[in-house]
């Protein structure tokens, strides 16, 4: 099933994804701040969603070794012989895998719908509010973010 491991190729792919972005943040083009205010909010939201999905897929498929590399683990039966495990243990493992996948899909759907509603409302607002601040509550600074 899922065999977690570390992949140097996946790490290299993630570096190829992030290093140019880090360099770009340090050396932005002149006048970018003014031009970025005129960007289409919907396209900006799609860009952010794409960044998150690409990063998550790269992490899951290459760094953790889920996917193509896991296929080769099926060849170990040829080398070491096929070992049958207890039926109850196999059923429990499959049930846990299905439950885990369903949980992840439900969470992705929930957060995706919630964020889609927020992005739609934020993009349609004429003067959206997006402020970060630290507020002193009971002698301790607390971070707050106001969006809407």
């Amino acid at each position: 099933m899922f065999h977690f491991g570390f992949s140097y190729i996946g790490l290299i792919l993630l570096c190829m994804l992030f290093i140019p972005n880090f360099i770009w943040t340090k050396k932005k083009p002149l006048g970018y701040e003014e031009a970025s205010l005129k960007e289409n909010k919907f396209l900006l939201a799609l860009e952010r969603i794409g960044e998150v999905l690409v990063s998550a897929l790269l992490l899951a498929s290459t760094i953790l070794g889920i996917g193509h590399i896991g296929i080769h683990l099926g060849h170990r039966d040829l080398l070491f012989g096929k070992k049958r495990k207890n039926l109850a243990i196999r059923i429990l493992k499959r049930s846990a895998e299905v439950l885990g996948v369903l949980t992840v899909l439900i969470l992705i759907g929930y957060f995706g719908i919630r964020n889609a509603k927020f992005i739609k409302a934020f993009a349609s607002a004429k003067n959206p509010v997006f402020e970060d601040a630290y507020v002193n509550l009971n002698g301790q600074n607390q971070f707050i973010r106001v969006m809407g």
Side-chain angles (χ1 to χ4, degrees):
M1 242 358 73
F2 292 108
H3 299 279
F4 295 103
F6 182 78
S7 170
Y8 294 106
I9 301 299
L11 181 64
I12 291 169
L13 288 174
L14 279 175
C15 288
M16 289 171 54
L17 177 70
F18 287 115
I19 289 174
N21 287 328
F22 291 139
I23 293 171
W24 183 85
T25 58
K26 297 294 182 192
K27 299 181 180 182
K28 290 182 183 177
L30 293 176
Y32 176 75
E33 297 299 326
E34 295 80 35
S36 67
L37 296 175
K38 299 175 187 174
E39 285 182 357
N40 187 337
K41 301 294 183 198
F42 178 72
L43 294 178
L44 183 64
L46 287 179
E47 180 183 7
R48 299 292 186 254
I49 291 169
E51 290 171 0
V52 170
L53 289 177
V54 166
S55 299
L57 288 174
L58 273 174
L59 181 68
S61 64
T62 56
I63 294 287
L64 297 177
I66 301 171
H68 178 72
I69 295 171
I71 293 171
H72 299 294
L73 293 173
H75 295 294
R76 76 176 155 203
D77 291 343
L78 297 173
L79 297 173
F80 303 112
K82 196 166 191 175
K83 297 177 185 176
R84 298 296 288 180
K85 295 181 181 176
N86 188 355
L87 180 63
I89 292 174
R90 287 187 294 170
I91 290 173
L92 284 174
K93 280 186 175 181
R94 298 278 186 223
S95 300
E97 290 167 0
V98 168
L99 185 62
V101 168
L102 286 175
T103 303
V104 168
L105 290 175
I106 289 170
L107 288 173
I108 288 172
Y110 170 74
F111 289 116
I113 291 170
R114 188 184 73 170
N115 289 338
K117 288 179 181 178
F118 169 75
I119 289 168
K120 183 179 178 184
F122 192 75
S124 64
K126 293 188 189 248
N127 293 321
V129 175
F130 188 81
E131 294 183 15
D132 296 334
Y134 284 94
V135 178
N136 191 345
L137 298 175
N138 294 330
Q140 184 177 8
N141 285 339
Q142 298 289 325
F143 176 78
I144 62 168
R145 175 173 283 166
V146 179
M147 300 187 317

